[in-house]
């Protein structure tokens, strides 16, 4: 007869997508003197629930974790966003507990260096290879060793299988032989994997796979493998952002009908994408999507307009269109779209955005936008003026204007347009900011709302300008100043006041 503990663990294995058995196990741990493990499970379950709901705060949290990690952990988010503050608090505490107890909580994977628990994950809900309180990522470097590990592995909840040295039909055959195909809920693959995906997809167990990431491989062969196999029906996340999906591969993906039910779709396109390909993508069932990334897809203004006018995208919380060919008219459509009112993160970095329509932007109503990335977007002074006067942009608390060639006039329009409002996190790296521009920032009354200001790599900004920023009464509440000081004294002032880190 199973003990209470064994019965609870069996329920977790039987219902890997549900938190109720895990939380019941946390209660049992509390009652039996293991409060740390119980707290860890609850914290990770709350993080995972936030990821599943994928509200605006989690979309921001995910971006910040990926691109602003040091700032994520050191910024006082209670001043900015209560949701992000809660997620950071959970992550920090979960990491503290895991670092202290990993040796006890992580069971042996199989006694082989080629079958081991993987530490790294791109998803913060799976901290250090754990998800919802249990090890979740298994690195399989050599499938011949899986037989010896199978019994131990079946004792832990289902996992994401990591295979960074190829994933073959033989690997799938060996997993099936030892009864582990149904134990896999995610795949993170690199290199040649088409044969393995095709073989796995012909097994009913593929219907339980929720997350598929494929990197650095032949996109047409990968997409063909997904199309040929009948059981890839349960996917919720498809990430091909590190594999070039050219037009023919996209057409195969659409023909396979594998996009219905997806919550997250990440594609790196090719130079041969055209508006018709975007039109075909939007004709698929995208109603469940909350996250869409289309980078390097050769998207132009017509493509942006198609996205802006798509009712099917009303559920999006983040839209990343970095490294495309969207100009001012297309960006204006996106920023004014009634269907994208729920988008909290809009990534337009490395698009030539000059030529924004100031009149239309000024009429765009406020919505959910919290983060706008215009890094390297070739913005002119007039575009800065149009952006910061737009009601939809004036809800933003993270504004990236890095690498736009902005000088004194651009900063003047920024300050004038914002007035007494300012985004708490402001990026002005690699522009043409000099000491006169720094003086404008230092005298800006609205800057009292700044939490972090980043002005590194502006060669014309000297220690004279930095001292004005440091002395400004409007910046007395500043929590971080990312700068490139020229003298040791200014560097010492920065380190003393901000615990200055080079990562800023």
């Amino acid at each position: 007869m199973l003990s209470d503990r064994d019965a609870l663990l069996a329920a977790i294995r039987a219902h890997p997508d549900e938190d109720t058995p895990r939380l019941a196990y946390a209660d049992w741990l509390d009652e039996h003197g293991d409060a740390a493990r119980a707290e860890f499970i609850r914290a990770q379950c709350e993080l995972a629930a936030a990821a599943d709901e994928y509200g605006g705060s989690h979309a921001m949290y995910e971006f910040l974790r990926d691109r602003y990690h040091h700032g994520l952990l050191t910024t006082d988010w209670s001043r900015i966003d209560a949701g992000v503050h809660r997620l950071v608090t959970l992550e920090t505490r979960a990491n503290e507990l895991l670092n202290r107890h990993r040796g006890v909580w992580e069971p042996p994977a199989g006694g082989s260096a080629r079958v081991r628990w993987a530490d790294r994950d791109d998803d913060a809900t799976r901290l250090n290879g754990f998800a919802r309180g249990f090890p979740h990522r298994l690195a399989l470097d050599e499938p011949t060793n899986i037989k010896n590990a199978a019994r131990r592995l079946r004792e832990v909840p289902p996992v994401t299988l990591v295979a960074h040295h190829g994933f073959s039909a033989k690997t799938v055959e060996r997993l099936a032989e030892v009864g582990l195909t149904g134990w896999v809920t995610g795949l993170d693959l690199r290199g040649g994997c088409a044969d393995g995906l095709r073989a796995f997809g012909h097994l009913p167990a593929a219907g339980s796979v929720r997350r598929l990431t494929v990197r650095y491989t032949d996109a047409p062969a990968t997409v063909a493998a997904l199309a040929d196999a009948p059981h890839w029906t349960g996917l919720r996340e498809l990430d091909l952002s590190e594999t070039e999906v050219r037009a023919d591969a996209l057409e195969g993906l659409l023909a396979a009908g594998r996009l219905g039910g997806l919550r997250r779709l990440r594609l790196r396109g090719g130079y041969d994408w055209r508006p018709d390909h975007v039109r075909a993508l939007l004709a698929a069932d995208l109603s469940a999507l909350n996250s869409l990334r289309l980078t390097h897809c050769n998207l132009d203004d017509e493509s942006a307009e198609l996205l802006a006018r798509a009712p099917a995208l009303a559920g999006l919380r983040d839209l990343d269109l970095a490294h495309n060919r969207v100009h001012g008219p297309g960006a204006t459509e996106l920023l004014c779209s009634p269907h994208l009112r729920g988008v909290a993160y809009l990534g337009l970095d490395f698009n030539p955005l000059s030529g924004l329509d100031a009149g239309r932007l000024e009429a765009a109503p406020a919505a959910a936008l919290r983060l706008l990335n215009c890094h390297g977007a070739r913005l002119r002074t007039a575009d800065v003026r149009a952006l910061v006067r737009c009601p939809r942009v004036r809800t933003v608390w993270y504004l990236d204007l890095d690498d736009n060639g902005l000088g004194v006039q651009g900063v003047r329009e920024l300050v004038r347009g914002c007035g007494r409002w300012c985004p708490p996190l402001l990026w002005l790296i690699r522009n043409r900011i000099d000491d006169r521009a720094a003086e404008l920032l230092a005298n800006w009354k609205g800057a009292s709302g700044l939490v972090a200001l980043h002005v590194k790599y502006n060669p014309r900004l000297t220690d004279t300008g930095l001292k004005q920023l440091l002395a400004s009464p409007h910046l007395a509440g500043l929590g971080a100043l990312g700068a490139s000081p020229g003298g040791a004294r200014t560097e010492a002032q920065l380190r003393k006041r901000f615990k200055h880190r080079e990562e800023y």
Side-chain angles (χ1 to χ4, degrees), residues 115-398:
V115 181
R116 54 188 169 76
W117 297 114
D119 290 343
R120 181 183 175 276
D121 197 350
D122 295 328
D123 187 336
T125 66
R126 299 167 173 86
L127 298 171
N128 295 312
F130 274 63
R132 295 155 67 216
F134 292 85
H136 189 77
R137 286 174 61 82
L138 185 81
L140 180 62
D141 296 335
E142 176 50 66
T144 57
N145 292 308
I146 196 68
K147 183 176 182 179
N148 296 331
R151 182 183 60 80
R152 287 179 176 174
L153 295 176
R154 283 194 294 268
E155 293 174 356
V156 300
V159 303
T160 290
L161 190 65
V162 181
H164 286 176
H165 301 282
F167 184 68
S168 66
K170 188 66 175 178
T171 301
V172 174
E173 180 182 333
R174 286 175 174 153
L175 288 169
E177 287 173 355
V178 296
L180 287 179
T181 49
W183 176 76
V184 175
T185 58
L187 290 167
D188 184 344
L189 311 176
R190 296 188 187 186
C193 61
D195 289 346
L197 284 173
R198 182 176 284 104
F200 204 116
H202 278 87
L203 300 175
S208 298
V209 175
R210 299 288 178 259
R211 188 177 190 229
L212 175 60
T213 300
V214 181
R215 316 170 200 254
Y216 316 126
T217 190
D218 181 356
T222 299
V223 169
L226 292 173
D228 292 346
H231 293 298
W232 294 112
T233 55
L235 287 178
R236 297 294 176 264
E237 302 176 29
L238 178 60
D239 187 345
L240 301 176
S241 61
E242 295 181 66
T243 293
E244 185 180 17
V245 180
R246 295 176 62 177
D248 56 346
L250 175 68
E251 291 165 1
L253 186 64
L254 295 172
R258 296 287 180 257
L259 301 186
L262 283 181
R263 296 176 184 173
R264 298 188 185 190
L265 176 61
R266 297 180 173 182
L267 299 176
R268 179 189 176 106
Y271 66 90
D272 55 351
W273 278 45
R274 299 290 183 268
D276 281 347
H277 295 107
V278 176
R279 195 172 281 109
L281 177 64
L282 292 171
D285 180 10
L286 303 179
S287 57
L289 270 189
N290 53 39
S291 177
L292 178 61
R293 179 181 297 177
L294 300 174
T295 62
H296 301 271
C297 291
N298 197 40
L299 303 184
D300 57 11
D301 287 343
E302 183 180 350
S303 301
E305 182 177 345
L306 288 168
L307 293 169
R309 299 187 179 186
L313 301 184
L316 285 186
R317 295 296 173 263
D318 75 76
L319 176 60
D320 188 350
L321 303 177
H323 296 276
N324 282 294
R325 297 191 301 112
V326 178
H327 291 72
T332 300
E333 289 284 346
L334 294 166
L335 286 166
C336 295
S337 168
H339 305 301
L340 300 179
R341 289 176 56 89
V343 169
Y345 163 52
L346 179 59
L348 296 173
D349 36 324
F350 300 103
N351 282 274
L353 299 182
S354 59
L356 294 169
D357 186 328
R360 289 193 61 200
L361 289 178
E362 194 167 2
L369 193 62
R370 297 294 179 268
L371 191 155
L372 179 61
N373 191 346
C374 297
H375 187 126
R378 306 182 198 175
L379 295 174
R380 301 174 302 183
T381 298
D383 299 311
V384 174
R385 182 191 306 124
L387 271 180
V388 298
R389 294 173 187 270
C390 174
R392 187 160 294 189
V393 174
R394 291 175 71 88
T395 60
V396 162
W397 49 251
Y398 184 114

Side-chain angles (χ1 to χ4, degrees), residues 37-49:
R37 184 74 192 275
E39 181 184 0
F40 178 71
I41 292 172
R42 292 188 186 108
Q44 284 213 313
C45 283
E46 187 174 340
L47 280 168

